Amino acid sequence: MAENTFPVHNADTIVNFYRSEVLTGQEAKHFTKGDLTPVPKPEAVQTLYMRVLHLLFRFKPECHSMVPLLDGIQYPAYHEGATTILSVYTRM
């Protein structure tokens, strides 16, 4: 078991796959190798994760991305990111 049994792909191959098979429109156009290497950007990883979930569970991003929030919450930026993920989780 000392060998690596997983396929190893370079970053360019992975970026091309995500651009052609997962991302659409402007997301695909602006996705670059710099989003994944040397340190993956959290927003790029979240976008990829959400798009893969959309493909797997066959629902549109509009179903949950525009969830209204209450006015006057203390940290709206925290709720904005978590609301989308929690919406996907409840639909699964």
Side-chain angles (χ1 to χ4, degrees):
M1 290 309 248
E3 295 179 19
N4 184 4
T5 58
F6 294 101
V8 178
H9 298 285
N10 63 20
D12 293 323
T13 304
I14 294 170
V15 168
N16 288 336
F17 170 78
Y18 280 127
R19 289 179 82 179
S20 63
E21 302 295 329
V22 176
L23 299 172
T24 59
Q26 292 297 320
E27 288 177 339
K29 188 176 182 179
H30 295 294
F31 187 72
T32 64
K33 182 178 173 181
D35 292 331
L36 295 179
T37 59
V39 178
K41 294 180 182 176
E43 58 273 4
V45 173
Q46 182 179 8
T47 299
L48 291 173
Y49 178 73
M50 295 303 290
R51 292 296 172 238
V52 168
L53 287 177
H54 294 161
L55 292 170
L56 289 174
F57 293 103
R58 305 234 190 271
F59 58 85
K60 297 178 183 175
E62 299 86 34
C63 294
H64 62 85
S65 295
M66 300 302 289
V67 179
L69 296 173
L70 299 174
D71 291 332
I73 55 176
Q74 191 169 6
Y75 299 105
Y78 294 147
H79 292 278
E80 183 180 323
T83 302
T84 304
I85 294 169
L86 290 173
S87 178
V88 171
Y89 178 74
T90 57
R91 291 175 189 277
M92 292 185 337

